Amino acid sequence: MTMDDVSANGASGPVIGVPGYWHESEAILGNISTAVPDSYIRALLKSGAVPLIIPVIPSTKVLAQLFRMIDGLLLIGGPDLDPVHYHQQPVRGLRKITPPRDAVEIQVTRWALEADLPILAICRGIQVLNVAEGGTLWQDIASPLPDAEKHDYYPDHPEDFLAHNVKLHAGSRLARIVGDADLAVNSLHHQAIDRLGVGLFPVAHSPDGIIEAVEGAANRWIIGVQWHPEWLIETDSRMAALFHAFCEVCIDRGKTGLPTQVVRQ
Ligand code: MN
């Protein structure tokens, strides 16, 4: 690549913000890295997007500047949200929490909602989305819902293990993208949506009634899924189609320059 290529500002995809998290080195104690699993990056690149990793930083001002660069927001999987964000005390079964990450993700999600930016939210992401909209979570599915099936197929199963089916709501945005037929999905979560956030609608359930996907009102491109499509894009073209649809709508959004105009500091 020459400097001409760098400065040409030629073909470029939509910039997708991906909040990362702190990963501590096992070799050097206390050495923290910002991480985003490569499976998400690969899924975005395959759809022609330009990933922009958003670090866990305490400065709202820096965060806002990063936010103005993006055309869409991808919220990724991870550990439990601190239940303080949905006004609950921790209950038995709550696992590891990461408050600095919560703060960044909830902030950028609220900005994205305010700016009407497209959002694709995966696993922990659907939970962040729901909480940012005022909803609540089951802190540990098995405790309040003993009849629910097993959803936490980790760490002793491959990440693409198809754990259960989900039934899609016909006519939903998600069903228009992936089709009306049931999906066989992976399942690496022990929490799930309890009370829905404002403006979110359930569009897929597992056979035991757990909410497995939500979306925003018809005019807003917001989709959250409880499973991990980024690990299934090579084996199920419908999962790749979901990333593709997200990146397509972000291209259109990028042309309007909307985030720059709307976000206030
Ligand atoms: Mn599940």
Side-chain angles (χ1 to χ4, degrees):
M1 180 181 280
T2 67
M3 203 55 216
D4 282 347
D5 295 322
V6 174
S7 54
N9 197 20
S12 58
V15 179
I16 308 298
V18 190
Y21 57 91
W22 283 333
H23 174 76
E24 185 166 2
S25 165
E26 283 166 25
I28 306 171
L29 211 61
N31 184 24
I32 308 287
S33 303
T34 297
V36 168
D38 199 51
S39 47
Y40 297 105
I41 302 295
R42 282 202 311 275
L44 290 175
L45 291 177
K46 202 176 155 81
S47 296
V50 178
L52 178 70
I53 294 175
I54 300 175
V56 182
I57 43 177
S59 166
T60 308
K61 209 170 160 187
V62 175
L63 212 52
Q65 189 168 346
L66 280 166
F67 181 77
R68 283 194 293 273
M69 298 176 188
I70 68 174
D71 305 313
L73 178 66
L74 175 66
L75 295 168
I76 66 173
D80 296 356
L81 275 166
D82 187 336
V84 74
H85 297 298
Y86 46 97
H87 313 292
Q88 287 185 11
Q89 296 292 321
V91 302
R92 206 178 135 95
L94 180 74
R95 299 182 191 171
K96 183 186 172 189
I97 59 168
T98 53
R101 178 181 176 180
D102 293 356
V104 168
E105 288 185 329
I106 290 173
Q107 180 64 84
V108 294
T109 301
R110 289 196 169 132
W111 282 337
L113 291 164
E114 191 183 344
D116 200 18
L117 220 58
I119 301 173
L120 178 60
I122 293 173
C123 197
R124 168 187 161 96
I126 192 178
Q127 298 165 10
V128 170
L129 172 67
N130 190 55
V131 168
E133 286 280 52
T136 67
L137 306 177
W138 298 116
Q139 292 187 36
D140 184 49
I141 295 170
S143 309
L145 306 171
D147 294 335
E149 61 191 273
K150 178 178 168 65
H151 287 266
D152 55 342
Y153 285 86
Y154 65 93
D156 49 350
H157 287 76
E159 55 230 14
D160 59 353
F161 176 71
L162 298 174
H164 61 73
N165 278 4
V166 296
K167 192 168 276 305
L168 295 152
H169 292 211
S172 62
R173 183 186 297 281
L174 181 61
R176 288 202 302 277
I177 295 167
V178 302
D180 284 346
D182 289 6
L183 289 175
V185 298
N186 47 2
S187 189
L188 299 94
H189 61 109
H190 81 107
Q191 299 196 315
I193 290 176
D194 176 8
R195 198 185 69 228
L196 272 165
V198 177
L200 294 176
F201 303 90
V203 292
H205 290 85
S206 48
D208 56 3
I210 295 286
I211 294 173
E212 288 272 343
V214 297
E215 61 189 45
N219 57 338
R220 315 196 69 178
W221 207 104
I222 298 168
I223 292 181
V225 295
Q226 188 58 74
W227 66 92
H228 281 269
E230 80 281 7
W231 280 322
L232 302 172
I233 55 174
E234 302 298 340
T235 50
D236 189 338
S237 61
R238 296 172 295 178
M239 304 300 177
L242 178 56
F243 277 95
H244 201 72
F246 172 55
C247 294
E248 282 288 306
V249 76
C250 292
I251 291 172
D252 294 339
R253 199 57 54 135
K255 287 174 190 157
T256 69
L258 193 63
T260 311
Q261 293 162 12
V262 173
V263 173
R264 294 176 284 271
Q265 285 193 47

